[in-house]
Amino acid sequence: MKKWFYSLVAVPFLLVGCGDDPEVETLDTAEVPAIVDVHIQTADHLNVGETIQLAALVTQDEEAVNDAKEVKFEVWESGLRDEGEMLDGELTEDGIYVADYKFDHDGVYYMFAHTTARGMHVMPKQELIVGNPDMSKVLEDTSSDSMEHDEENKEEKEEDHNH
């Protein structure tokens, strides 16, 4: 008797699970959104003491993205990423986000354009040569191309401390 009862309860659930619901998307029919592209527009050779614009063009499917959730420019001198600065980018025209910055001395710098738009995070990196740096005195940049630099340094310090 119990078997009949379980069968009567289970069969409708199985039939409902097998139904064709036109609003449910499968992996075959779901569309993958186009990738958000970020192209840094800042020149790679800059002058000391001049206010310049750090700039990035944000697009998706070759159309300007004017609704990015966040565009931040991270700038640091080679070898000194932990001393870098984070600047908010502002939309100025079709998909172009900018922030003003002034370099106060010669050096090799790096910049990330951290961009969050339409559910994606993109962060291209660019090397910036400012003025006429003495390349023999430039510190090696050992930072990774990710936002995990603080976590990596923390883990390395913990490993050193435990040994």
Side-chain angles (χ1 to χ4, degrees):
M1 185 74 172
K2 288 183 183 178
K3 288 182 182 178
W4 273 100
F5 178 73
Y6 290 129
S7 296
L8 287 173
V9 172
V11 169
F13 283 111
L14 291 173
L15 291 175
V16 169
C18 296
D20 286 333
D21 186 352
E23 293 187 24
V24 175
E25 289 189 18
T26 64
L27 289 177
D28 294 337
T29 60
E31 288 187 36
V32 177
I35 299 212
V36 171
D37 289 315
V38 179
H39 299 281
I40 294 174
Q41 305 288 299
T42 305
D44 54 5
H45 285 79
L46 303 163
N47 295 321
V48 175
E50 289 181 9
T51 300
I52 56 103
Q53 281 195 331
L54 306 175
L57 171 62
V58 183
T59 60
Q60 186 178 39
D61 256 352
E62 298 182 20
E63 292 183 17
V65 172
N66 294 326
D67 60 352
K69 182 176 179 181
E70 180 177 75
V71 177
K72 288 187 176 259
F73 296 97
E74 180 182 6
V75 180
W76 71 97
E77 189 168 2
S78 182
L80 303 172
R81 183 164 183 196
D82 290 336
E83 297 174 23
E85 295 180 61
M86 195 74 80
L87 302 134
D88 291 325
E90 293 183 26
L91 179 66
T92 59
E93 57 183 287
D94 291 338
I96 297 178
Y97 294 80
V98 301
D100 290 339
Y101 194 76
K102 185 186 290 189
F103 294 95
D104 61 1
H105 63 274
D106 294 339
V108 175
Y109 295 81
Y110 291 93
M111 174 182 73
F112 273 128
H114 295 278
T115 305
T116 304
R118 301 179 180 174
M120 297 178 205
H121 184 77
V122 183
M123 44 187 274
K125 181 179 180 182
Q126 179 172 321
E127 181 181 77
L128 306 170
I129 308 289
V130 178
N132 297 307
D134 180 349
M135 298 307 271
S136 68
K137 294 182 180 179
V138 171
L139 298 173
E140 179 182 353
D141 184 64
T142 58
S143 66
S144 69
D145 287 357
S146 74
M147 294 175 58
E148 306 299 324
H149 64 278
D150 290 331
E151 288 299 316
E152 288 173 7
N153 289 341
K154 182 179 175 182
E155 289 173 13
E156 286 174 12
K157 287 177 185 174
E158 286 175 4
E159 286 177 16
D160 291 342
H161 181 67
N162 292 334
H163 290 144

